[in-house]
Amino acid sequence: MKLITHATVVTFGDNHRVINDGAIAYDEDKIHAIGTTEELKARFPKAKAKNLNGKLVTPGIVNTHMHLYSTFSRGISLKDAPPENFTQILERLWWRLDKALTKEDLYLTAMIPLMEGVRNGVTTLIDHHASPNYIKGSLSILKDAYRKCGVRGSLCYEISDRDGQEKCNEGFEENAAFIKSLKSDEHDMAAMIGLHASMTLSEESLKRASDLSKELKTGVHIHVAEDQADNVDAINRGYRSVVDRLHKFNLTGPENIFVHCVNCDEHDISTLALTNTNVVHNPRSNMNNAVGCAKLEKMMAEKISVSFGTDGMSASPLVDLWTANILHKHQARDPRKAYGEIWKMFTVNGPKLASKMFKKKIGTIEEGAAPDLVIWDYIPPTPVTADNTLGHLTFGLPFARVNSTICQGKTIMEDGKLTFLGEGEEEEMMAKSRELAAALWERF
Ligand SMILES: [Zn+2]
């Protein structure tokens, strides 16, 4: 049994509380107890205790939408004129980048943001992968990177018709093979069926995805109405909207993740609410692509489970919480907006989605929950209470350094040092990454 003591324990979850001079007893299976330092020292006298001297401890952070493969885009120069709209961003950047990825690139493109995530306290990361010229076996390479870092992961391959029937078939096969390869006792790894977006999927492909989802009892992870172009495409095919089209193919529902939903109207939002479909909000990505501002308040008033993703902008959804806080106030010209929504998304909805996916209580510090913890180099300058934690989460933690990250009871970062790396290994990886990225930029 391991024990951390003299911590400011911030639990998150439905019964959020703050324990000053708190302690947590855990092993690699679960959190066994939480309480004051005095209580837990008396209960576990033989446990090895680590004194945190008042540092803040939160649950491990959950990122519900990411593209690890975007790593080599940092600093890339486009070969055409700057994109004027979202479709051109896809055509001139992302669909060129993913086609240029080779087998050799995949491990490092995953390792680097996973390490960045660990440095920011991320212990669960749901990814959406595309590499059309290396599809078969791609998810296993990503899995190796997750295993190396000791982070929980949910993987899927992005099926699309945009590169022809053969690549589309391969996408289906990779998802199915990876889903079938996971064993029931692999609590650190999950899988979904990845779909790019309605606008690059034919009627046949959506039907096939729906059948596969039913057959394998696995949800789909798809971009939805990110830009109005997605709706225009659905309307041209005879549907009311993207959500209407996906709903008619039985692709809505509590097992599925609809990413963005920026351009969803009230009718779409009630369909998402009635079907308990999960939505992921990625404010930095939406602002960067200039696609609009999701109707967050409306979606959450309808009790849709909305959580935070980073969509390739970085590995840390805490920065998206920070962004959402100011974006929705700015958008509504009302300083009262966003507080309630961002708190629930970050501390309740993201953890609940992960808990369902990994069949284990994730993202909350309580007895029986997964032993995923973040120790922050953040000694609060003002009192922390259950009622004011959001103030620290919004204005303090995004600028604080993570001291240590614990996932599945293992310390994967200690005092700022990634424990899964050997001496000089990171420098070697970064040098190799720069070399591979430069070669990819040539092919791009
Ligand atoms: Zn995305």
Side-chain angles (χ1 to χ4, degrees), residues 48-62:
K48 199 178 155 203
K50 183 174 172 157
N51 181 345
L52 296 189
N53 293 312
K55 285 193 174 75
L56 203 80
V57 181
T58 66
I61 294 171
V62 178

Side-chain angles (χ1 to χ4, degrees), residues 36-54:
T36 62
T37 297
E38 202 184 342
E39 282 165 4
L40 263 57
K41 269 190 161 176
R43 233 176 112 185
F44 303 96
K46 290 187 185 146
K48 199 178 155 203
K50 183 174 172 157
N51 181 345
L52 296 189
N53 293 312

Side-chain angles (χ1 to χ4, degrees), residues 65-67 128 158 221 223 226 259-260 282 285 311-312:
H65 179 70
M66 173 61 176
H67 302 281
H128 196 275
E158 174 182 298
H221 182 178
H223 299 104
E226 181 171 3
V259 183
H260 301 300
N282 309 262
S285 163
D311 202 25

